[in-house]
Amino acid sequence: DSVLSKIEKISQLVKLDNTYERKYSFENDEVYIYVKNKTPMEDRSKWAGLIALYYETLYYSELEEKIKNTYDLAHKAAYFYQKSGNYEKAFSFYVCAAKGCFSDLNYHQTLIHINELKKIRAYYKAQEILCIKIDTMEAECYEHMGLYKKALDKYTDNIQEYELNPYYDSAYN
């Protein structure tokens, strides 16, 4: 428990607000830059991995307790896994965050998570079926937001991709 408390305090160095933008709790930028420059890259990656594991533990704990809105913890775990270079876990948690936001009708945040998923695809090859579902979710977000031209363009792009995919029929199962 004391180790987790320390990790929680360290994780507060990088806060994620409701818009998921980076915010620092340092007194000023000079202190942040000093700490960042004094921390070796490999240590930053290790700390990010420990912090991600902490948020993953909290996420699953809250899932077991059936607490709503666990997607915020999923986002934090994904963010820190991404910073640690564990793209497989980051991808998995961004998917959880996107699904949670989508089910809460928070389409703007869903699109933020989908954009992170797209960045991770450069480092991690996810199952094609999952990528198709994510791309479809993106189109649905635009549709629900009333951005019909964007939705139509995304659906059109997806249909062209699906026609080349032998698993097209199973994408919606």
Side-chain angles (χ1 to χ4, degrees):
D1 272 344
S2 67
V3 172
L4 290 179
S5 295
K6 288 178 184 176
I7 291 172
E8 185 173 27
K9 287 177 184 175
I10 290 169
S11 72
Q12 296 306 311
L13 297 177
V14 179
K15 286 186 176 180
L16 303 171
D17 68 8
N18 290 335
T19 61
Y20 299 114
E21 293 177 18
R22 283 173 78 174
K23 302 272 179 162
Y24 301 101
S25 62
F26 292 99
E27 286 186 35
N28 56 49
D29 288 340
E30 290 83 22
V31 174
Y32 162 71
I33 291 168
Y34 177 80
V35 171
K36 181 179 175 188
N37 289 339
K38 290 293 181 183
T39 306
M41 280 301 268
E42 60 274 1
D43 288 348
R44 286 186 229 168
S45 179
K46 288 176 190 174
W47 276 110
L50 285 172
I51 294 167
L53 182 59
Y54 170 73
Y55 283 121
E56 178 181 358
T57 303
L58 283 179
Y59 172 79
Y60 286 119
S61 173
E62 288 195 8
L63 272 184
E64 285 179 12
E65 295 176 26
K66 298 185 183 349
I67 295 174
K68 288 189 170 196
N69 301 332
T70 56
Y71 53 83
D72 183 50
L73 289 173
H75 171 83
K76 289 177 180 179
Y79 173 84
F80 285 107
Y81 274 126
Q82 186 175 6
K83 291 294 179 191
S84 75
N86 189 337
Y87 299 109
E88 183 177 359
K89 284 239 182 182
F91 192 91
S92 174
F93 279 99
Y94 276 127
V95 167
C96 293
K99 285 180 175 181
C101 288
F102 188 83
S103 69
D104 276 358
L105 311 179
N106 190 342
Y107 305 119
H108 177 73
Q109 292 299 334
T110 303
L111 291 172
I112 289 172
H113 298 307
I114 289 172
N115 284 331
E116 290 301 320
L117 286 163
K118 287 179 179 182
K119 290 178 193 174
I120 292 174
R121 284 184 191 176
Y123 304 100
Y124 171 69
K125 177 125 176 83
Q127 292 179 346
E128 191 172 15
I129 277 299
L130 185 54
C131 292
I132 291 169
K133 288 181 179 183
I134 291 165
D135 290 342
T136 302
M137 185 187 298
E138 179 182 15
E140 290 172 352
C141 284
Y142 291 133
E143 182 181 351
H144 292 303
M145 294 169 74
L147 302 171
Y148 300 115
K149 172 74 170 108
K150 274 185 133 174
L152 179 61
D153 291 345
K154 190 63 186 168
Y155 281 127
T156 302
D157 291 346
N158 292 347
I159 288 170
Q160 290 173 357
E161 184 177 343
Y162 298 164
E163 288 178 348
L164 300 173
N165 185 335
Y167 302 108
Y168 174 73
D169 292 335
S170 64
Y172 295 99
N173 294 335

Short mmCIF file of all heavy atoms in Angstrom, two decimals, residues 41-102:
data_model
loop_
_atom_site.label_atom_id
_atom_site.label_comp_id
_atom_site.label_asym_id
_atom_site.label_seq_id
_atom_site.Cartn_x
_atom_site.Cartn_y
_atom_site.Cartn_z
N MET A 41 15.72 8.95 -19.48
CA MET A 41 14.61 8.45 -20.30
C MET A 41 14.15 7.06 -19.87
O MET A 41 12.95 6.81 -19.77
CB MET A 41 14.99 8.43 -21.79
CG MET A 41 14.90 9.78 -22.45
SD MET A 41 13.23 10.45 -22.35
CE MET A 41 12.55 9.85 -23.85
N GLU A 42 15.09 6.16 -19.62
CA GLU A 42 14.70 4.79 -19.24
C GLU A 42 13.95 4.78 -17.91
O GLU A 42 13.05 3.97 -17.70
CB GLU A 42 15.89 3.83 -19.24
CG GLU A 42 17.01 4.18 -18.30
CD GLU A 42 18.04 5.16 -18.85
OE1 GLU A 42 17.91 5.61 -20.00
OE2 GLU A 42 18.98 5.47 -18.11
N ASP A 43 14.31 5.68 -17.01
CA ASP A 43 13.60 5.77 -15.74
C ASP A 43 12.19 6.34 -15.94
O ASP A 43 11.25 5.91 -15.28
CB ASP A 43 14.37 6.64 -14.74
CG ASP A 43 15.62 5.95 -14.21
OD1 ASP A 43 15.77 4.73 -14.45
OD2 ASP A 43 16.45 6.63 -13.57
N ARG A 44 12.06 7.30 -16.83
CA ARG A 44 10.72 7.85 -17.12
C ARG A 44 9.81 6.75 -17.64
O ARG A 44 8.65 6.66 -17.25
CB ARG A 44 10.81 8.96 -18.17
CG ARG A 44 11.38 10.23 -17.65
CD ARG A 44 11.29 11.31 -18.70
NE ARG A 44 12.59 11.95 -18.81
CZ ARG A 44 12.95 12.76 -19.77
NH1 ARG A 44 12.11 13.04 -20.74
NH2 ARG A 44 14.13 13.31 -19.77
N SER A 45 10.35 5.92 -18.50
CA SER A 45 9.57 4.82 -19.06
C SER A 45 9.17 3.82 -17.98
O SER A 45 8.02 3.36 -17.93
CB SER A 45 10.38 4.13 -20.16
OG SER A 45 9.67 3.06 -20.70
N LYS A 46 10.10 3.51 -17.08
CA LYS A 46 9.80 2.59 -15.98
C LYS A 46 8.74 3.17 -15.05
O LYS A 46 7.82 2.47 -14.63
CB LYS A 46 11.08 2.27 -15.19
CG LYS A 46 12.04 1.37 -15.92
CD LYS A 46 13.32 1.19 -15.11
CE LYS A 46 14.38 0.50 -15.91
NZ LYS A 46 15.67 0.44 -15.20
N TRP A 47 8.88 4.46 -14.71
CA TRP A 47 7.89 5.10 -13.84
C TRP A 47 6.52 5.12 -14.51
O TRP A 47 5.50 4.88 -13.86
CB TRP A 47 8.32 6.52 -13.47
CG TRP A 47 9.26 6.53 -12.30
CD1 TRP A 47 10.58 6.83 -12.32
CD2 TRP A 47 8.95 6.21 -10.94
NE1 TRP A 47 11.13 6.72 -11.07
CE2 TRP A 47 10.14 6.33 -10.20
CE3 TRP A 47 7.80 5.81 -10.28
CZ2 TRP A 47 10.20 6.09 -8.84
CZ3 TRP A 47 7.86 5.57 -8.92
CH2 TRP A 47 9.05 5.71 -8.22
N ALA A 48 6.51 5.40 -15.78
CA ALA A 48 5.24 5.41 -16.52
C ALA A 48 4.59 4.03 -16.46
O ALA A 48 3.38 3.91 -16.28
CB ALA A 48 5.45 5.85 -17.96
N GLY A 49 5.41 2.98 -16.59
CA GLY A 49 4.88 1.61 -16.50
C GLY A 49 4.30 1.31 -15.13
O GLY A 49 3.25 0.67 -15.01
N LEU A 50 4.98 1.76 -14.06
CA LEU A 50 4.48 1.55 -12.71
C LEU A 50 3.18 2.32 -12.46
O LEU A 50 2.24 1.80 -11.86
CB LEU A 50 5.52 1.97 -11.68
CG LEU A 50 6.71 1.03 -11.49
CD1 LEU A 50 7.76 1.68 -10.59
CD2 LEU A 50 6.23 -0.29 -10.89
N ILE A 51 3.14 3.53 -12.95
CA ILE A 51 1.93 4.34 -12.78
C ILE A 51 0.77 3.72 -13.57
O ILE A 51 -0.36 3.66 -13.08
CB ILE A 51 2.20 5.80 -13.21
CG1 ILE A 51 3.21 6.44 -12.25
CG2 ILE A 51 0.90 6.60 -13.25
CD1 ILE A 51 3.79 7.76 -12.73
N ALA A 52 1.08 3.23 -14.77
CA ALA A 52 0.04 2.57 -15.58
C ALA A 52 -0.51 1.35 -14.86
O ALA A 52 -1.73 1.13 -14.84
CB ALA A 52 0.62 2.17 -16.94
N LEU A 53 0.38 0.56 -14.27
CA LEU A 53 -0.06 -0.62 -13.53
C LEU A 53 -0.95 -0.22 -12.35
O LEU A 53 -1.95 -0.89 -12.06
CB LEU A 53 1.16 -1.41 -13.03
CG LEU A 53 0.87 -2.70 -12.29
CD1 LEU A 53 0.08 -3.67 -13.16
CD2 LEU A 53 2.18 -3.35 -11.84
N TYR A 54 -0.60 0.86 -11.70
CA TYR A 54 -1.42 1.38 -10.59
C TYR A 54 -2.83 1.72 -11.08
O TYR A 54 -3.82 1.30 -10.48
CB TYR A 54 -0.74 2.61 -9.99
CG TYR A 54 -1.61 3.34 -9.00
CD1 TYR A 54 -1.85 2.82 -7.74
CD2 TYR A 54 -2.18 4.57 -9.33
CE1 TYR A 54 -2.65 3.50 -6.83
CE2 TYR A 54 -2.97 5.25 -8.42
CZ TYR A 54 -3.21 4.71 -7.17
OH TYR A 54 -3.99 5.37 -6.28
N TYR A 55 -2.92 2.46 -12.20
CA TYR A 55 -4.24 2.83 -12.73
C TYR A 55 -5.00 1.61 -13.25
O TYR A 55 -6.22 1.53 -13.15
CB TYR A 55 -4.13 3.91 -13.79
CG TYR A 55 -3.90 5.27 -13.21
CD1 TYR A 55 -2.77 6.01 -13.53
CD2 TYR A 55 -4.81 5.83 -12.31
CE1 TYR A 55 -2.55 7.26 -12.97
CE2 TYR A 55 -4.60 7.07 -11.75
CZ TYR A 55 -3.48 7.79 -12.09
OH TYR A 55 -3.27 9.03 -11.54
N GLU A 56 -4.27 0.64 -13.80
CA GLU A 56 -4.91 -0.59 -14.25
C GLU A 56 -5.53 -1.31 -13.05
O GLU A 56 -6.67 -1.79 -13.13
CB GLU A 56 -3.89 -1.50 -14.94
CG GLU A 56 -4.47 -2.82 -15.39
CD GLU A 56 -3.46 -3.73 -16.06
OE1 GLU A 56 -2.28 -3.34 -16.22
OE2 GLU A 56 -3.85 -4.85 -16.43
N THR A 57 -4.80 -1.38 -11.95
CA THR A 57 -5.31 -2.02 -10.73
C THR A 57 -6.57 -1.31 -10.23
O THR A 57 -7.57 -1.95 -9.89
CB THR A 57 -4.23 -2.03 -9.64
OG1 THR A 57 -3.07 -2.70 -10.14
CG2 THR A 57 -4.71 -2.74 -8.38
N LEU A 58 -6.53 0.01 -10.19
CA LEU A 58 -7.70 0.78 -9.78
C LEU A 58 -8.87 0.54 -10.73
O LEU A 58 -10.02 0.41 -10.30
CB LEU A 58 -7.39 2.28 -9.75
CG LEU A 58 -6.58 2.81 -8.59
CD1 LEU A 58 -6.35 4.31 -8.74
CD2 LEU A 58 -7.29 2.54 -7.27
N TYR A 59 -8.58 0.51 -12.02
CA TYR A 59 -9.62 0.29 -13.03
C TYR A 59 -10.35 -1.03 -12.78
O TYR A 59 -11.58 -1.07 -12.71
CB TYR A 59 -8.99 0.31 -14.43
CG TYR A 59 -9.93 -0.09 -15.53
CD1 TYR A 59 -10.87 0.79 -16.03
CD2 TYR A 59 -9.87 -1.38 -16.07
CE1 TYR A 59 -11.74 0.41 -17.05
CE2 TYR A 59 -10.73 -1.76 -17.08
CZ TYR A 59 -11.67 -0.86 -17.57
OH TYR A 59 -12.52 -1.24 -18.57
N TYR A 60 -9.58 -2.11 -12.64
CA TYR A 60 -10.21 -3.42 -12.43
C TYR A 60 -10.91 -3.51 -11.08
O TYR A 60 -11.94 -4.16 -10.95
CB TYR A 60 -9.20 -4.56 -12.61
CG TYR A 60 -8.86 -4.78 -14.07
CD1 TYR A 60 -7.56 -4.62 -14.53
CD2 TYR A 60 -9.85 -5.12 -14.98
CE1 TYR A 60 -7.25 -4.81 -15.87
CE2 TYR A 60 -9.55 -5.31 -16.32
CZ TYR A 60 -8.25 -5.15 -16.75
OH TYR A 60 -7.96 -5.33 -18.08
N SER A 61 -10.37 -2.83 -10.08
CA SER A 61 -11.01 -2.79 -8.77
C SER A 61 -12.38 -2.12 -8.87
O SER A 61 -13.37 -2.60 -8.32
CB SER A 61 -10.11 -2.05 -7.79
OG SER A 61 -10.77 -1.85 -6.56
N GLU A 62 -12.44 -1.01 -9.58
CA GLU A 62 -13.71 -0.30 -9.74
C GLU A 62 -14.68 -1.09 -10.62
O GLU A 62 -15.89 -1.02 -10.41
CB GLU A 62 -13.49 1.11 -10.28
CG GLU A 62 -12.87 2.01 -9.23
CD GLU A 62 -12.96 3.48 -9.55
OE1 GLU A 62 -13.63 3.86 -10.53
OE2 GLU A 62 -12.36 4.26 -8.80
N LEU A 63 -14.15 -1.82 -11.58
CA LEU A 63 -15.03 -2.67 -12.40
C LEU A 63 -15.70 -3.73 -11.54
O LEU A 63 -16.89 -4.01 -11.69
CB LEU A 63 -14.24 -3.35 -13.52
CG LEU A 63 -14.09 -2.62 -14.83
CD1 LEU A 63 -13.35 -3.50 -15.84
CD2 LEU A 63 -15.41 -2.17 -15.41
N GLU A 64 -14.90 -4.34 -10.66
CA GLU A 64 -15.45 -5.37 -9.76
C GLU A 64 -16.53 -4.80 -8.85
O GLU A 64 -17.49 -5.47 -8.54
CB GLU A 64 -14.33 -5.99 -8.92
CG GLU A 64 -13.46 -6.95 -9.69
CD GLU A 64 -12.35 -7.52 -8.82
OE1 GLU A 64 -12.38 -7.36 -7.59
OE2 GLU A 64 -11.44 -8.14 -9.39
N GLU A 65 -16.34 -3.56 -8.44
CA GLU A 65 -17.31 -2.92 -7.56
C GLU A 65 -18.47 -2.28 -8.34
O GLU A 65 -19.33 -1.64 -7.76
CB GLU A 65 -16.61 -1.86 -6.71
CG GLU A 65 -15.60 -2.45 -5.74
CD GLU A 65 -14.84 -1.37 -4.98
OE1 GLU A 65 -15.38 -0.27 -4.80
OE2 GLU A 65 -13.71 -1.65 -4.57
N LYS A 66 -18.43 -2.46 -9.66
CA LYS A 66 -19.46 -1.94 -10.57
C LYS A 66 -19.64 -0.42 -10.45
O LYS A 66 -20.74 0.10 -10.48
CB LYS A 66 -20.79 -2.66 -10.35
CG LYS A 66 -20.71 -4.14 -10.64
CD LYS A 66 -22.06 -4.79 -10.52
CE LYS A 66 -22.10 -6.25 -10.70
NZ LYS A 66 -21.17 -7.07 -11.13
N ILE A 67 -18.52 0.26 -10.33
CA ILE A 67 -18.53 1.72 -10.28
C ILE A 67 -18.60 2.23 -11.72
O ILE A 67 -17.91 1.73 -12.60
CB ILE A 67 -17.27 2.26 -9.57
CG1 ILE A 67 -17.29 1.82 -8.11
CG2 ILE A 67 -17.16 3.77 -9.70
CD1 ILE A 67 -16.05 2.16 -7.33
N LYS A 68 -19.45 3.22 -11.94
CA LYS A 68 -19.60 3.77 -13.29
C LYS A 68 -18.43 4.68 -13.63
O LYS A 68 -17.69 5.13 -12.76
CB LYS A 68 -20.91 4.56 -13.41
CG LYS A 68 -22.13 3.70 -13.44
CD LYS A 68 -23.34 4.53 -13.77
CE LYS A 68 -24.50 3.60 -14.04
NZ LYS A 68 -25.57 4.28 -14.71
N ASN A 69 -18.31 4.98 -14.90
CA ASN A 69 -17.32 5.92 -15.42
C ASN A 69 -15.88 5.48 -15.16
O ASN A 69 -15.02 6.30 -14.84
CB ASN A 69 -17.55 7.33 -14.87
CG ASN A 69 -18.91 7.86 -15.20
OD1 ASN A 69 -19.51 7.48 -16.20
ND2 ASN A 69 -19.44 8.72 -14.36
N THR A 70 -15.61 4.21 -15.30
CA THR A 70 -14.25 3.73 -15.14
C THR A 70 -13.38 4.11 -16.34
O THR A 70 -12.17 3.89 -16.30
CB THR A 70 -14.23 2.19 -14.98
OG1 THR A 70 -14.90 1.61 -16.09
CG2 THR A 70 -14.88 1.77 -13.68
N TYR A 71 -13.99 4.70 -17.35
CA TYR A 71 -13.22 5.03 -18.55
C TYR A 71 -12.15 6.10 -18.26
O TYR A 71 -11.16 6.17 -18.97
CB TYR A 71 -14.10 5.44 -19.72
CG TYR A 71 -15.10 6.53 -19.45
CD1 TYR A 71 -14.73 7.87 -19.49
CD2 TYR A 71 -16.42 6.23 -19.18
CE1 TYR A 71 -15.65 8.87 -19.26
CE2 TYR A 71 -17.35 7.22 -18.95
CZ TYR A 71 -16.95 8.55 -18.99
OH TYR A 71 -17.88 9.54 -18.76
N ASP A 72 -12.33 6.90 -17.22
CA ASP A 72 -11.30 7.86 -16.86
C ASP A 72 -10.03 7.13 -16.40
O ASP A 72 -8.92 7.49 -16.79
CB ASP A 72 -11.81 8.81 -15.76
CG ASP A 72 -10.78 9.86 -15.41
OD1 ASP A 72 -10.26 10.51 -16.33
OD2 ASP A 72 -10.50 10.05 -14.21
N LEU A 73 -10.22 6.09 -15.59
CA LEU A 73 -9.06 5.29 -15.16
C LEU A 73 -8.47 4.52 -16.33
O LEU A 73 -7.25 4.37 -16.42
CB LEU A 73 -9.47 4.33 -14.04
CG LEU A 73 -9.77 4.98 -12.69
CD1 LEU A 73 -10.34 3.95 -11.71
CD2 LEU A 73 -8.52 5.63 -12.12
N ALA A 74 -9.33 4.04 -17.22
CA ALA A 74 -8.83 3.35 -18.42
C ALA A 74 -7.98 4.30 -19.24
O ALA A 74 -6.92 3.91 -19.75
CB ALA A 74 -10.00 2.81 -19.24
N HIS A 75 -8.43 5.54 -19.36
CA HIS A 75 -7.65 6.53 -20.12
C HIS A 75 -6.29 6.77 -19.45
O HIS A 75 -5.27 6.82 -20.14
CB HIS A 75 -8.40 7.85 -20.23
CG HIS A 75 -7.55 8.95 -20.79
ND1 HIS A 75 -7.36 9.10 -22.14
CD2 HIS A 75 -6.78 9.89 -20.19
CE1 HIS A 75 -6.52 10.11 -22.34
NE2 HIS A 75 -6.17 10.60 -21.17
N LYS A 76 -6.28 6.91 -18.14
CA LYS A 76 -5.02 7.16 -17.44
C LYS A 76 -4.07 5.97 -17.59
O LYS A 76 -2.87 6.16 -17.83
CB LYS A 76 -5.28 7.47 -15.97
CG LYS A 76 -5.92 8.83 -15.77
CD LYS A 76 -6.23 9.09 -14.31
CE LYS A 76 -6.88 10.47 -14.14
NZ LYS A 76 -7.21 10.76 -12.75
N ALA A 77 -4.60 4.76 -17.46
CA ALA A 77 -3.75 3.57 -17.65
C ALA A 77 -3.21 3.55 -19.07
O ALA A 77 -2.01 3.30 -19.28
CB ALA A 77 -4.56 2.30 -17.36
N ALA A 78 -4.06 3.83 -20.05
CA ALA A 78 -3.63 3.83 -21.45
C ALA A 78 -2.54 4.88 -21.69
O ALA A 78 -1.53 4.59 -22.34
CB ALA A 78 -4.83 4.09 -22.36
N TYR A 79 -2.76 6.06 -21.16
CA TYR A 79 -1.80 7.16 -21.34
C TYR A 79 -0.42 6.76 -20.82
O TYR A 79 0.59 6.93 -21.50
CB TYR A 79 -2.32 8.41 -20.62
CG TYR A 79 -1.34 9.54 -20.59
CD1 TYR A 79 -1.23 10.42 -21.66
CD2 TYR A 79 -0.51 9.76 -19.49
CE1 TYR A 79 -0.33 11.47 -21.65
CE2 TYR A 79 0.39 10.80 -19.46
CZ TYR A 79 0.47 11.66 -20.54
OH TYR A 79 1.38 12.69 -20.51
N PHE A 80 -0.39 6.21 -19.61
CA PHE A 80 0.91 5.86 -19.02
C PHE A 80 1.51 4.61 -19.66
O PHE A 80 2.73 4.50 -19.78
CB PHE A 80 0.81 5.75 -17.50
CG PHE A 80 0.73 7.09 -16.84
CD1 PHE A 80 -0.46 7.54 -16.29
CD2 PHE A 80 1.84 7.92 -16.78
CE1 PHE A 80 -0.55 8.79 -15.69
CE2 PHE A 80 1.77 9.19 -16.19
CZ PHE A 80 0.57 9.62 -15.65
N TYR A 81 0.68 3.66 -20.10
CA TYR A 81 1.22 2.53 -20.84
C TYR A 81 1.83 3.00 -22.16
O TYR A 81 2.88 2.52 -22.59
CB TYR A 81 0.16 1.45 -21.10
CG TYR A 81 0.01 0.47 -19.95
CD1 TYR A 81 -1.22 0.24 -19.36
CD2 TYR A 81 1.11 -0.22 -19.46
CE1 TYR A 81 -1.35 -0.65 -18.31
CE2 TYR A 81 0.99 -1.11 -18.41
CZ TYR A 81 -0.24 -1.32 -17.85
OH TYR A 81 -0.36 -2.21 -16.80
N GLN A 82 1.17 3.96 -22.78
CA GLN A 82 1.71 4.51 -24.03
C GLN A 82 3.06 5.18 -23.76
O GLN A 82 4.01 4.98 -24.51
CB GLN A 82 0.71 5.52 -24.60
CG GLN A 82 1.08 6.06 -25.96
CD GLN A 82 -0.02 6.96 -26.52
OE1 GLN A 82 -1.00 7.27 -25.84
NE2 GLN A 82 0.15 7.38 -27.75
N LYS A 83 3.16 5.94 -22.68
CA LYS A 83 4.42 6.60 -22.33
C LYS A 83 5.51 5.59 -21.98
O LYS A 83 6.70 5.87 -22.17
CB LYS A 83 4.22 7.57 -21.15
CG LYS A 83 3.40 8.78 -21.49
CD LYS A 83 4.11 9.64 -22.50
CE LYS A 83 3.30 10.84 -22.87
NZ LYS A 83 3.86 11.54 -24.02
N SER A 84 5.11 4.43 -21.47
CA SER A 84 6.10 3.41 -21.10
C SER A 84 6.53 2.56 -22.31
O SER A 84 7.45 1.77 -22.20
CB SER A 84 5.56 2.50 -20.00
OG SER A 84 4.60 1.60 -20.53
N GLY A 85 5.83 2.71 -23.42
CA GLY A 85 6.15 1.93 -24.61
C GLY A 85 5.40 0.62 -24.70
O GLY A 85 5.64 -0.17 -25.61
N ASN A 86 4.48 0.35 -23.79
CA ASN A 86 3.67 -0.87 -23.84
C ASN A 86 2.41 -0.57 -24.65
O ASN A 86 1.34 -0.30 -24.12
CB ASN A 86 3.31 -1.35 -22.43
CG ASN A 86 2.67 -2.71 -22.42
OD1 ASN A 86 2.10 -3.15 -23.42
ND2 ASN A 86 2.73 -3.37 -21.28
N TYR A 87 2.56 -0.62 -25.97
CA TYR A 87 1.49 -0.20 -26.88
C TYR A 87 0.32 -1.17 -26.91
O TYR A 87 -0.82 -0.76 -27.13
CB TYR A 87 2.05 0.04 -28.28
CG TYR A 87 3.08 1.13 -28.28
CD1 TYR A 87 4.43 0.85 -28.48
CD2 TYR A 87 2.72 2.46 -28.03
CE1 TYR A 87 5.38 1.87 -28.46
CE2 TYR A 87 3.67 3.47 -28.00
CZ TYR A 87 4.99 3.17 -28.22
OH TYR A 87 5.92 4.17 -28.17
N GLU A 88 0.59 -2.44 -26.66
CA GLU A 88 -0.51 -3.41 -26.63
C GLU A 88 -1.48 -3.08 -25.49
O GLU A 88 -2.70 -3.04 -25.69
CB GLU A 88 0.05 -4.83 -26.47
CG GLU A 88 -1.03 -5.89 -26.50
CD GLU A 88 -0.47 -7.31 -26.42
OE1 GLU A 88 0.77 -7.48 -26.36
OE2 GLU A 88 -1.28 -8.24 -26.42
N LYS A 89 -0.94 -2.86 -24.30
CA LYS A 89 -1.80 -2.52 -23.16
C LYS A 89 -2.44 -1.14 -23.36
O LYS A 89 -3.60 -0.94 -23.02
CB LYS A 89 -1.00 -2.54 -21.86
CG LYS A 89 -0.72 -3.93 -21.36
CD LYS A 89 -1.31 -4.07 -20.00
CE LYS A 89 -1.00 -5.45 -19.47
NZ LYS A 89 -1.58 -5.67 -18.18
N ALA A 90 -1.67 -0.19 -23.89
CA ALA A 90 -2.22 1.15 -24.14
C ALA A 90 -3.40 1.05 -25.10
O ALA A 90 -4.45 1.66 -24.85
CB ALA A 90 -1.15 2.07 -24.73
N PHE A 91 -3.26 0.26 -26.14
CA PHE A 91 -4.34 0.08 -27.11
C PHE A 91 -5.57 -0.49 -26.42
O PHE A 91 -6.68 0.02 -26.59
CB PHE A 91 -3.87 -0.85 -28.24
CG PHE A 91 -4.79 -0.86 -29.42
CD1 PHE A 91 -4.59 0.02 -30.48
CD2 PHE A 91 -5.85 -1.75 -29.49
CE1 PHE A 91 -5.45 0.02 -31.57
CE2 PHE A 91 -6.70 -1.76 -30.58
CZ PHE A 91 -6.49 -0.88 -31.62
N SER A 92 -5.36 -1.52 -25.63
CA SER A 92 -6.47 -2.18 -24.94
C SER A 92 -7.22 -1.21 -24.03
O SER A 92 -8.46 -1.18 -24.01
CB SER A 92 -5.92 -3.36 -24.13
OG SER A 92 -6.92 -3.92 -23.35
N PHE A 93 -6.49 -0.40 -23.28
CA PHE A 93 -7.15 0.53 -22.36
C PHE A 93 -7.78 1.72 -23.07
O PHE A 93 -8.81 2.23 -22.63
CB PHE A 93 -6.19 0.97 -21.25
CG PHE A 93 -6.10 -0.05 -20.15
CD1 PHE A 93 -5.05 -0.94 -20.09
CD2 PHE A 93 -7.11 -0.15 -19.20
CE1 PHE A 93 -4.98 -1.90 -19.10
CE2 PHE A 93 -7.05 -1.10 -18.19
CZ PHE A 93 -5.98 -1.99 -18.15
N TYR A 94 -7.19 2.16 -24.19
CA TYR A 94 -7.87 3.22 -24.96
C TYR A 94 -9.17 2.70 -25.55
O TYR A 94 -10.15 3.44 -25.66
CB TYR A 94 -6.97 3.77 -26.07
CG TYR A 94 -6.02 4.86 -25.61
CD1 TYR A 94 -4.65 4.77 -25.86
CD2 TYR A 94 -6.49 5.99 -24.93
CE1 TYR A 94 -3.78 5.76 -25.45
CE2 TYR A 94 -5.62 6.99 -24.52
CZ TYR A 94 -4.27 6.86 -24.78
OH TYR A 94 -3.42 7.86 -24.36
N VAL A 95 -9.21 1.42 -25.93
CA VAL A 95 -10.46 0.82 -26.42
C VAL A 95 -11.50 0.85 -25.30
O VAL A 95 -12.66 1.24 -25.53
CB VAL A 95 -10.25 -0.62 -26.94
CG1 VAL A 95 -11.57 -1.34 -27.15
CG2 VAL A 95 -9.45 -0.60 -28.24
N CYS A 96 -11.11 0.45 -24.09
CA CYS A 96 -12.03 0.49 -22.94
C CYS A 96 -12.53 1.91 -22.69
O CYS A 96 -13.73 2.12 -22.45
CB CYS A 96 -11.34 -0.02 -21.68
SG CYS A 96 -10.94 -1.77 -21.70
N ALA A 97 -11.63 2.87 -22.76
CA ALA A 97 -12.02 4.27 -22.53
C ALA A 97 -12.97 4.76 -23.62
O ALA A 97 -13.98 5.41 -23.32
CB ALA A 97 -10.77 5.15 -22.48
N ALA A 98 -12.68 4.42 -24.87
CA ALA A 98 -13.54 4.84 -25.98
C ALA A 98 -14.93 4.22 -25.85
O ALA A 98 -15.95 4.92 -26.00
CB ALA A 98 -12.90 4.46 -27.32
N LYS A 99 -14.99 2.93 -25.53
CA LYS A 99 -16.29 2.27 -25.37
C LYS A 99 -17.09 2.89 -24.23
O LYS A 99 -18.30 3.09 -24.34
CB LYS A 99 -16.10 0.77 -25.10
CG LYS A 99 -15.72 -0.03 -26.31
CD LYS A 99 -15.56 -1.50 -25.91
CE LYS A 99 -15.29 -2.40 -27.07
NZ LYS A 99 -15.17 -3.81 -26.64
N GLY A 100 -16.42 3.18 -23.12
CA GLY A 100 -17.10 3.79 -21.98
C GLY A 100 -17.66 5.16 -22.30
O GLY A 100 -18.82 5.48 -21.98
N CYS A 101 -16.86 5.98 -22.96
CA CYS A 101 -17.32 7.32 -23.35
C CYS A 101 -18.46 7.22 -24.35
O CYS A 101 -19.44 7.96 -24.26
CB CYS A 101 -16.17 8.13 -23.95
SG CYS A 101 -14.95 8.65 -22.74
N PHE A 102 -18.34 6.30 -25.29
CA PHE A 102 -19.39 6.13 -26.31
C PHE A 102 -20.70 5.71 -25.66
O PHE A 102 -21.76 6.26 -25.99
CB PHE A 102 -18.95 5.10 -27.36
CG PHE A 102 -19.87 5.02 -28.53
CD1 PHE A 102 -19.75 5.91 -29.59
CD2 PHE A 102 -20.86 4.05 -28.60
CE1 PHE A 102 -20.60 5.84 -30.69
CE2 PHE A 102 -21.72 3.97 -29.68
CZ PHE A 102 -21.58 4.86 -30.73
#
